[in-house]
Amino acid sequence: MPEQLEFFPILSPCRGICQVDERGFCRGCMRSRDERFGWQTMSDTQKQEVLRLCRQRWLRKLRANKQDAPDEPQQPSLF
């Protein structure tokens, strides 16, 4: 499949929070070690795939944290 031309460069998703979580993903951008170190040599198609994977990881993490949170109402009951 031919690569689509990009008018703007695909910027690194790095947020400057360079800490690894228990699964080996960066806490800031959710990239793996290989994805972080290989970013500069990736094609635009590969970068888009990494960004898609990062978004999936982030959403998965949010869902897991939501399940861990107690089911308390946002506003206390008045009664």
Side-chain angles (χ1 to χ4, degrees):
M1 179 166 133
E3 212 172 299
Q4 181 177 345
L5 295 176
E6 293 290 332
F7 291 108
F8 301 100
I10 298 176
L11 300 176
S12 170
C14 180
R15 296 179 176 187
I17 306 169
C18 301
Q19 298 175 354
V20 179
D21 68 7
E22 62 280 352
R23 298 193 66 193
F25 297 113
C26 176
R27 292 182 191 272
C29 64
M30 300 304 293
R31 290 183 292 172
S32 70
R33 182 178 193 273
D34 291 338
E35 291 166 346
R36 290 190 318 270
F37 291 141
W39 184 262
Q40 296 300 321
T41 60
M42 290 181 184
S43 68
D44 285 348
T45 303
Q46 290 170 317
K47 289 178 181 179
Q48 288 172 343
E49 177 64 13
V50 168
L51 292 176
R52 186 186 69 77
L53 291 171
C54 291
R55 178 157 175 78
Q56 283 182 340
R57 293 172 189 144
W58 183 256
L59 293 173
R60 193 176 308 125
K61 187 173 185 174
L62 287 178
R63 283 192 297 263
N65 289 341
K66 197 174 199 179
Q67 290 174 355
D68 293 342
D71 293 331
E72 296 178 8
Q74 295 294 329
Q75 181 176 355
S77 174
L78 297 175
F79 302 104

Coordinates of all heavy atoms in Angstrom, one line a residue:
M1 N 0.8 -1.2 0.0 CA 0.0 0.0 0.0 C 0.9 1.2 0.0 O 1.8 1.4 0.8 CB -0.9 0.0 1.3 CG -1.8 1.1 1.4 SD -3.0 0.7 2.7 CE -2.9 2.2 3.6
P2 N 0.7 2.2 -0.9 CA 1.5 3.4 -1.0 C 1.3 4.2 0.2 O 0.2 4.3 0.8 CB 1.1 4.1 -2.3 CG -0.2 3.5 -2.6 CD -0.3 2.1 -2.0
E3 N 2.3 4.9 0.6 CA 2.3 5.8 1.8 C 1.6 7.1 1.4 O 1.9 7.7 0.4 CB 3.7 6.0 2.3 CG 3.7 6.2 3.8 CD 5.1 6.3 4.3 OE1 5.9 5.3 4.1 OE2 5.5 7.3 4.9
Q4 N 0.7 7.6 2.2 CA 0.0 8.9 2.0 C 1.0 10.0 2.3 O 1.7 10.0 3.3 CB -1.2 9.0 2.8 CG -2.0 10.3 2.6 CD -3.3 10.4 3.4 OE1 -3.7 9.3 3.9 NE2 -3.8 11.5 3.5
L5 N 1.0 11.0 1.4 CA 1.8 12.2 1.7 C 1.3 13.0 2.8 O 0.1 13.2 2.9 CB 1.9 13.1 0.4 CG 2.6 12.5 -0.8 CD1 2.5 13.4 -2.0 CD2 4.0 12.1 -0.5
E6 N 2.2 13.4 3.7 CA 1.8 14.3 4.8 C 2.2 15.7 4.6 O 3.3 15.9 4.1 CB 2.4 13.7 6.1 CG 1.9 12.4 6.5 CD 0.5 12.4 7.1 OE1 0.1 13.4 7.6 OE2 -0.1 11.4 6.9
F7 N 1.3 16.6 4.9 CA 1.7 18.0 4.7 C 2.4 18.6 5.9 O 3.1 19.5 5.8 CB 0.4 18.9 4.4 CG -0.2 18.6 3.1 CD1 -1.4 17.9 3.0 CD2 0.4 19.0 1.9 CE1 -1.9 17.6 1.8 CE2 -0.1 18.7 0.7 CZ -1.3 18.0 0.6
F8 N 2.2 18.0 7.1 CA 2.8 18.4 8.3 C 3.6 17.2 8.9 O 3.1 16.1 8.8 CB 1.8 18.9 9.3 CG 1.0 20.0 8.8 CD1 -0.3 19.9 8.3 CD2 1.5 21.3 8.8 CE1 -1.0 20.9 7.8 CE2 0.8 22.4 8.3 CZ -0.5 22.2 7.8
P9 N 4.7 17.4 9.5 CA 5.4 16.3 10.1 C 4.6 15.7 11.3 O 3.9 16.5 12.0 CB 6.7 16.9 10.6 CG 6.4 18.4 10.7 CD 5.4 18.7 9.7
I10 N 4.8 14.5 11.5 CA 4.1 13.8 12.7 C 5.1 14.0 13.9 O 6.2 13.5 13.9 CB 3.9 12.3 12.4 CG1 2.9 12.2 11.2 CG2 3.3 11.7 13.7 CD1 2.7 10.8 10.8
L11 N 4.6 14.8 14.8 CA 5.4 15.2 15.9 C 5.5 14.1 17.0 O 4.5 13.3 17.1 CB 4.9 16.5 16.6 CG 4.9 17.7 15.7 CD1 4.3 18.9 16.4 CD2 6.3 18.1 15.2
S12 N 6.5 14.0 17.7 CA 6.7 13.0 18.8 C 5.6 13.3 19.9 O 5.4 14.5 20.2 CB 8.1 13.2 19.4 OG 8.1 12.4 20.6
P13 N 5.0 12.3 20.4 CA 4.0 12.4 21.4 C 4.6 12.7 22.8 O 3.9 12.8 23.8 CB 3.2 11.1 21.4 CG 4.2 10.1 21.0 CD 5.1 10.9 20.0
C14 N 5.9 12.8 22.9 CA 6.6 13.0 24.2 C 6.1 14.2 24.9 O 5.9 15.3 24.4 CB 8.1 13.1 24.0 SG 9.0 13.3 25.5
R15 N 5.8 14.0 26.2 CA 5.3 15.1 27.1 C 6.3 15.5 28.1 O 6.0 16.3 29.0 CB 4.0 14.6 27.8 CG 2.9 14.3 26.9 CD 1.7 13.8 27.8 NE 0.6 13.6 26.9 CZ -0.6 13.4 27.4 NH1 -0.8 13.2 28.7 NH2 -1.6 13.2 26.6
G16 N 7.5 14.9 28.1 CA 8.5 15.2 29.0 C 8.4 14.5 30.4 O 9.0 14.9 31.3
I17 N 7.5 13.5 30.4 CA 7.3 12.7 31.6 C 8.0 11.4 31.3 O 7.3 10.4 31.0 CB 5.8 12.6 32.0 CG1 5.2 13.9 32.1 CG2 5.7 11.8 33.3 CD1 3.7 13.8 32.2
C18 N 9.2 11.3 31.5 CA 10.0 10.1 31.0 C 10.2 9.2 32.2 O 11.3 9.0 32.7 CB 11.3 10.6 30.4 SG 11.1 11.7 29.0
Q19 N 9.1 8.5 32.5 CA 9.2 7.5 33.6 C 8.4 6.2 33.0 O 7.4 6.4 32.3 CB 8.5 7.9 34.8 CG 9.1 9.1 35.5 CD 8.3 9.6 36.6 OE1 7.2 9.1 36.9 NE2 8.8 10.6 37.4
V20 N 8.9 5.1 33.3 CA 8.4 3.8 32.8 C 7.4 3.3 33.9 O 7.8 3.2 35.1 CB 9.5 2.8 32.5 CG1 8.9 1.6 31.9 CG2 10.4 3.5 31.4
D21 N 6.3 2.8 33.4 CA 5.3 2.1 34.3 C 5.7 0.7 34.5 O 6.7 0.2 34.0 CB 3.9 2.3 33.9 CG 3.5 1.6 32.6 OD1 4.4 0.8 32.1 OD2 2.4 1.8 32.1
E22 N 4.9 0.0 35.3 CA 5.1 -1.4 35.6 C 5.1 -2.4 34.4 O 5.6 -3.5 34.4 CB 4.2 -2.0 36.7 CG 2.7 -1.9 36.3 CD 2.1 -0.5 36.4 OE1 2.7 0.4 36.9 OE2 0.9 -0.4 35.9
R23 N 4.5 -1.9 33.3 CA 4.4 -2.7 32.1 C 5.5 -2.4 31.0 O 5.5 -3.0 30.0 CB 3.0 -2.6 31.4 CG 1.9 -3.1 32.4 CD 0.6 -3.2 31.8 NE 0.7 -4.3 30.8 CZ -0.2 -4.5 29.9 NH1 -1.3 -3.7 29.8 NH2 -0.1 -5.5 29.0
G24 N 6.3 -1.3 31.3 CA 7.3 -1.0 30.4 C 7.0 0.2 29.5 O 7.8 0.5 28.6
F25 N 5.8 0.8 29.6 CA 5.4 1.9 28.8 C 5.7 3.2 29.5 O 5.6 3.3 30.7 CB 4.0 1.8 28.4 CG 3.6 0.6 27.6 CD1 2.8 -0.4 28.2 CD2 4.1 0.4 26.4 CE1 2.5 -1.5 27.4 CE2 3.8 -0.7 25.6 CZ 3.0 -1.7 26.2
C26 N 6.1 4.2 28.7 CA 6.3 5.6 29.3 C 5.0 6.1 29.9 O 4.0 6.0 29.2 CB 6.8 6.5 28.2 SG 7.0 8.2 28.7
R27 N 5.1 6.7 31.1 CA 3.9 7.2 31.7 C 3.4 8.5 31.0 O 2.2 8.8 31.1 CB 4.2 7.5 33.2 CG 4.5 6.3 34.0 CD 4.7 6.7 35.5 NE 5.2 5.6 36.3 CZ 4.5 4.7 36.9 NH1 3.2 4.8 36.8 NH2 5.0 3.8 37.6
G28 N 4.2 9.2 30.3 CA 3.8 10.4 29.6 C 3.2 10.1 28.3 O 2.1 10.7 28.0
C29 N 3.8 9.3 27.4 CA 3.3 9.2 26.1 C 2.8 7.8 25.7 O 2.3 7.5 24.7 CB 4.4 9.6 25.1 SG 5.9 8.5 25.1
M30 N 3.0 6.8 26.7 CA 2.6 5.4 26.5 C 3.3 4.6 25.4 O 2.8 3.7 24.9 CB 1.0 5.4 26.3 CG 0.2 6.0 27.4 SD 0.5 5.2 29.0 CE -0.1 3.6 28.8
R31 N 4.5 5.1 25.0 CA 5.3 4.3 24.0 C 6.2 3.3 24.8 O 6.6 3.6 25.9 CB 6.1 5.3 23.2 CG 5.3 6.1 22.2 CD 6.2 7.0 21.4 NE 6.9 8.0 22.2 CZ 7.9 8.8 21.7 NH1 8.3 8.7 20.5 NH2 8.4 9.7 22.5
S32 N 6.5 2.3 24.0 CA 7.4 1.3 24.6 C 8.8 1.8 24.4 O 9.1 2.9 23.7 CB 7.3 0.0 23.8 OG 7.7 0.1 22.5
R33 N 9.8 1.2 24.9 CA 11.2 1.6 24.8 C 11.6 1.6 23.3 O 12.2 2.6 22.8 CB 12.1 0.6 25.6 CG 13.6 1.0 25.5 CD 14.4 0.0 26.4 NE 15.7 0.5 26.6 CZ 16.7 0.2 25.8 NH1 16.6 -0.4 24.7 NH2 17.9 0.7 26.1
D34 N 11.3 0.5 22.6 CA 11.7 0.5 21.2 C 11.0 1.6 20.4 O 11.6 2.2 19.4 CB 11.3 -0.9 20.6 CG 12.2 -2.0 21.1 OD1 13.3 -1.7 21.6 OD2 11.7 -3.2 21.1
E35 N 9.7 1.9 20.7 CA 9.0 2.9 20.0 C 9.6 4.3 20.3 O 9.7 5.2 19.4 CB 7.5 2.9 20.4 CG 6.8 1.7 19.9 CD 5.4 1.5 20.5 OE1 5.1 2.1 21.6 OE2 4.7 0.7 20.0
R36 N 10.1 4.5 21.5 CA 10.7 5.8 21.8 C 12.0 6.0 21.1 O 12.3 7.0 20.5 CB 10.9 5.9 23.3 CG 9.6 6.1 24.1 CD 9.8 6.5 25.6 NE 10.8 5.8 26.3 CZ 10.7 4.6 26.9 NH1 9.5 4.0 27.0 NH2 11.7 4.1 27.6
F37 N 12.8 5.0 21.2 CA 14.2 5.1 20.6 C 14.2 5.0 19.1 O 15.1 5.5 18.5 CB 15.1 4.0 21.2 CG 15.4 4.2 22.7 CD1 15.5 3.1 23.5 CD2 15.6 5.5 23.2 CE1 15.8 3.3 24.9 CE2 15.9 5.7 24.5 CZ 16.0 4.6 25.4
G38 N 13.2 4.4 18.5 CA 13.2 4.3 17.0 C 12.3 5.3 16.3 O 12.2 5.3 15.1
W39 N 11.8 6.3 17.1 CA 10.9 7.3 16.5 C 11.5 8.0 15.3 O 10.8 8.2 14.3 CB 10.4 8.2 17.6 CG 9.4 9.2 17.1 CD1 9.6 10.5 16.7 CD2 8.0 9.0 17.0 NE1 8.4 11.1 16.3 CE2 7.4 10.2 16.5 CE3 7.2 7.9 17.2 CZ2 6.1 10.3 16.2 CZ3 5.8 8.0 17.0 CH2 5.3 9.2 16.5
Q40 N 12.7 8.4 15.4 CA 13.3 9.3 14.4 C 13.5 8.5 13.1 O 13.6 9.1 12.0 CB 14.6 9.8 14.9 CG 14.5 10.8 16.1 CD 13.7 12.0 15.8 OE1 13.7 12.6 14.6 NE2 12.8 12.4 16.7
T41 N 13.6 7.2 13.2 CA 13.9 6.4 11.9 C 12.6 5.8 11.4 O 12.7 5.2 10.3 CB 14.9 5.3 12.2 OG1 14.4 4.4 13.2 CG2 16.2 5.9 12.7
M42 N 11.5 6.0 12.0 CA 10.2 5.4 11.5 C 9.6 6.2 10.4 O 9.8 7.5 10.3 CB 9.2 5.4 12.6 CG 9.4 4.4 13.7 SD 8.1 4.5 14.9 CE 8.7 3.4 16.1
S43 N 8.9 5.6 9.5 CA 8.2 6.2 8.4 C 6.9 6.9 9.0 O 6.5 6.6 10.2 CB 7.8 5.2 7.3 OG 6.8 4.3 7.9
D44 N 6.3 7.7 8.3 CA 5.0 8.4 8.8 C 4.0 7.3 9.1 O 3.2 7.5 10.1 CB 4.5 9.4 7.8 CG 5.4 10.7 7.8 OD1 6.2 10.9 8.7 OD2 5.2 11.5 6.9
T45 N 3.9 6.3 8.3 CA 2.9 5.3 8.5 C 3.2 4.5 9.8 O 2.3 4.3 10.6 CB 2.9 4.3 7.3 OG1 2.7 5.0 6.1 CG2 1.9 3.2 7.5
Q46 N 4.4 4.2 10.1 CA 4.8 3.6 11.3 C 4.5 4.5 12.5 O 4.0 4.0 13.6 CB 6.3 3.2 11.3 CG 6.6 2.1 10.3 CD 8.1 1.9 10.2 OE1 8.9 2.9 10.1 NE2 8.5 0.7 10.2
K47 N 4.8 5.8 12.4 CA 4.5 6.7 13.5 C 3.0 6.8 13.8 O 2.6 6.8 14.9 CB 5.0 8.1 13.1 CG 6.5 8.2 13.1 CD 7.0 9.6 12.7 CE 8.5 9.7 12.7 NZ 9.0 11.0 12.3
Q48 N 2.2 6.8 12.7 CA 0.7 6.8 12.9 C 0.3 5.6 13.6 O -0.6 5.6 14.5 CB 0.0 7.0 11.6 CG 0.2 8.3 11.0 CD -0.4 8.4 9.6 OE1 -0.6 7.4 8.9 NE2 -0.6 9.6 9.1
E49 N 0.9 4.4 13.3 CA 0.5 3.2 14.0 C 0.9 3.2 15.5 O 0.2 2.8 16.3 CB 1.2 2.0 13.3 CG 1.0 0.7 14.0 CD -0.5 0.2 14.0 OE1 -1.3 0.8 13.2 OE2 -0.8 -0.7 14.7
V50 N 2.1 3.8 15.8 CA 2.5 3.9 17.2 C 1.6 4.8 17.9 O 1.2 4.5 19.0 CB 4.0 4.5 17.2 CG1 4.3 4.9 18.6 CG2 4.9 3.4 16.7
L51 N 1.1 5.9 17.3 CA 0.2 6.8 17.9 C -1.1 6.1 18.2 O -1.8 6.4 19.3 CB 0.0 8.1 17.1 CG 1.2 9.0 17.0 CD1 0.9 10.2 16.0 CD2 1.6 9.5 18.3
R52 N -1.6 5.3 17.3 CA -2.8 4.6 17.5 C -2.7 3.6 18.7 O -3.6 3.5 19.5 CB -3.2 3.8 16.2 CG -4.5 3.1 16.2 CD -4.7 2.2 15.0 NE -3.8 1.1 15.0 CZ -4.0 0.0 15.8 NH1 -5.0 -0.1 16.6 NH2 -3.2 -1.1 15.7
L53 N -1.6 2.9 18.7 CA -1.3 2.0 19.8 C -1.2 2.7 21.2 O -1.8 2.3 22.2 CB 0.0 1.2 19.6 CG 0.0 0.2 18.4 CD1 1.4 -0.3 18.2 CD2 -1.0 -0.9 18.7
C54 N -0.6 3.9 21.2 CA -0.5 4.7 22.4 C -1.9 5.1 22.9 O -2.2 5.1 24.1 CB 0.3 5.9 22.2 SG 2.1 5.6 21.9
R55 N -2.7 5.5 22.0 CA -4.1 5.9 22.3 C -4.9 4.7 22.9 O -5.6 4.8 23.9 CB -4.9 6.4 21.1 CG -6.3 6.8 21.5 CD -6.8 7.8 20.5 NE -8.2 8.1 20.7 CZ -8.7 8.9 21.7 NH1 -7.9 9.4 22.5 NH2 -10.0 9.1 21.8
Q56 N -4.7 3.5 22.3 CA -5.3 2.3 22.9 C -4.8 2.0 24.3 O -5.6 1.7 25.2 CB -5.1 1.1 22.0 CG -5.9 1.0 20.8 CD -5.6 -0.2 20.0 OE1 -4.5 -0.8 20.1 NE2 -6.5 -0.6 19.1
R57 N -3.5 2.1 24.5 CA -2.9 1.9 25.8 C -3.5 2.9 26.8 O -3.8 2.5 28.0 CB -1.4 2.0 25.7 CG -0.8 0.9 24.9 CD 0.7 1.1 24.7 NE 1.2 0.2 23.7 CZ 2.2 0.5 22.9 NH1 2.7 1.7 22.9 NH2 2.6 -0.4 22.0
W58 N -3.6 4.1 26.4 CA -4.0 5.2 27.3 C -5.5 4.9 27.7 O -5.8 5.0 28.9 CB -3.9 6.5 26.7 CG -4.3 7.7 27.5 CD1 -5.5 8.4 27.5 CD2 -3.6 8.2 28.6 NE1 -5.5 9.3 28.5 CE2 -4.3 9.2 29.2 CE3 -2.3 7.9 29.2 CZ2 -3.9 10.0 30.3 CZ3 -1.9 8.6 30.3 CH2 -2.7 9.7 30.8
L59 N -6.3 4.6 26.8 CA -7.7 4.3 27.1 C -7.9 3.1 28.0 O -8.7 3.0 28.9 CB -8.5 4.1 25.8 CG -8.7 5.4 24.9 CD1 -9.3 5.0 23.6 CD2 -9.5 6.4 25.6
R60 N -7.1 2.1 27.7 CA -7.1 0.8 28.5 C -6.7 1.2 30.0 O -7.3 0.7 30.9 CB -6.1 -0.2 27.9 CG -6.3 -1.6 28.5 CD -5.4 -2.6 27.8 NE -5.5 -2.6 26.4 CZ -4.5 -2.4 25.5 NH1 -3.3 -2.3 26.0 NH2 -4.7 -2.4 24.2
K61 N -5.7 2.0 30.1 CA -5.3 2.5 31.4 C -6.4 3.3 32.2 O -6.6 3.1 33.4 CB -4.0 3.3 31.3 CG -3.4 3.6 32.6 CD -2.0 4.3 32.4 CE -1.3 4.5 33.7 NZ 0.0 5.0 33.5
L62 N -7.0 4.1 31.4 CA -8.1 4.9 32.0 C -9.3 4.0 32.5 O -9.8 4.2 33.6 CB -8.7 5.9 31.0 CG -7.8 7.1 30.7 CD1 -8.5 8.0 29.7 CD2 -7.6 7.9 32.0
R63 N -9.6 3.0 31.7 CA -10.7 2.1 32.1 C -10.3 1.3 33.3 O -11.1 1.0 34.2 CB -11.0 1.1 30.9 CG -11.9 1.8 29.8 CD -12.4 0.7 28.9 NE -11.3 0.0 28.2 CZ -10.9 0.4 26.9 NH1 -11.5 1.3 26.3 NH2 -9.9 -0.3 26.4
A64 N -9.0 0.9 33.4 CA -8.6 0.1 34.5 C -8.6 1.0 35.8 O -9.0 0.5 36.9 CB -7.2 -0.4 34.3
N65 N -8.2 2.2 35.7 CA -8.2 3.1 36.8 C -9.7 3.4 37.3 O -9.9 3.6 38.4 CB -7.5 4.4 36.5 CG -6.0 4.2 36.5 OD1 -5.5 3.2 37.0 ND2 -5.3 5.1 35.8
K66 N -10.6 3.5 36.3 CA -12.0 3.8 36.6 C -12.6 2.6 37.4 O -13.4 2.8 38.3 CB -12.7 4.0 35.3 CG -14.0 4.7 35.5 CD -14.7 5.0 34.1 CE -15.7 6.1 34.3 NZ -16.3 6.5 33.0
Q67 N -12.2 1.4 37.1 CA -12.7 0.2 37.8 C -12.2 0.2 39.2 O -12.9 -0.3 40.1 CB -12.4 -1.1 37.0 CG -13.1 -1.2 35.7 CD -12.6 -2.4 34.9 OE1 -11.6 -3.1 35.3 NE2 -13.3 -2.7 33.8
D68 N -11.0 0.7 39.4 CA -10.4 0.7 40.7 C -11.0 1.8 41.6 O -10.9 1.6 42.9 CB -8.9 0.9 40.7 CG -8.2 -0.2 40.0 OD1 -8.7 -1.3 39.9 OD2 -7.0 0.0 39.6
A69 N -11.6 2.8 41.1 CA -12.2 3.9 41.8 C -13.5 3.4 42.5 O -14.2 2.7 42.0 CB -12.5 5.1 40.9
P70 N -13.7 3.9 43.8 CA -14.9 3.5 44.5 C -16.1 4.1 43.8 O -16.1 5.2 43.2 CB -14.7 4.1 45.9 CG -13.7 5.1 45.7 CD -12.8 4.7 44.6
D71 N -17.3 3.5 43.9 CA -18.5 3.9 43.3 C -19.2 4.9 44.3 O -20.3 4.6 44.7 CB -19.4 2.8 42.9 CG -18.8 1.9 41.8 OD1 -18.1 2.5 41.0 OD2 -19.1 0.7 41.8
E72 N -18.6 6.0 44.5 CA -19.2 7.0 45.4 C -19.9 8.1 44.6 O -19.4 8.4 43.5 CB -18.2 7.7 46.3 CG -17.5 6.7 47.3 CD -16.4 7.4 48.1 OE1 -16.3 8.6 48.0 OE2 -15.7 6.7 48.8
P73 N -21.0 8.6 45.0 CA -21.6 9.7 44.2 C -20.7 10.9 44.2 O -19.9 11.2 45.2 CB -22.9 10.0 45.0 CG -22.8 9.3 46.3 CD -21.7 8.3 46.2
Q74 N -20.8 11.7 43.2 CA -20.0 12.9 43.1 C -20.4 14.0 44.1 O -19.6 14.7 44.6 CB -20.2 13.5 41.7 CG -19.7 12.7 40.6 CD -18.1 12.5 40.6 OE1 -17.4 13.4 41.1 NE2 -17.6 11.4 40.2
Q75 N -21.7 14.0 44.4 CA -22.2 15.0 45.4 C -22.8 14.2 46.6 O -23.6 13.3 46.4 CB -23.2 15.9 44.8 CG -23.8 16.9 45.8 CD -24.8 17.8 45.1 OE1 -24.9 17.7 43.9 NE2 -25.4 18.7 45.8
P76 N -22.4 14.5 47.8 CA -23.0 13.8 48.9 C -24.5 14.0 49.0 O -25.0 15.0 48.6 CB -22.3 14.3 50.2 CG -21.4 15.4 49.7 CD -21.5 15.5 48.2
S77 N -25.1 13.0 49.5 CA -26.6 13.0 49.7 C -27.0 14.1 50.8 O -26.3 14.2 51.8 CB -27.1 11.7 50.1 OG -28.5 11.8 50.4
L78 N -28.1 14.8 50.6 CA -28.5 15.7 51.5 C -29.4 15.1 52.6 O -29.8 15.7 53.6 CB -29.3 16.8 50.8 CG -28.5 17.7 49.8 CD1 -29.4 18.6 49.1 CD2 -27.4 18.4 50.5
F79 N -29.7 13.8 52.5 CA -30.6 13.1 53.4 C -29.8 12.1 54.2 O -29.0 11.4 54.0 CB -31.7 12.4 52.7 CG -32.5 13.4 51.9 CD1 -32.4 13.5 50.5 CD2 -33.4 14.3 52.5 CE1 -33.2 14.4 49.8 CE2 -34.2 15.2 51.8 CZ -34.0 15.2 50.4

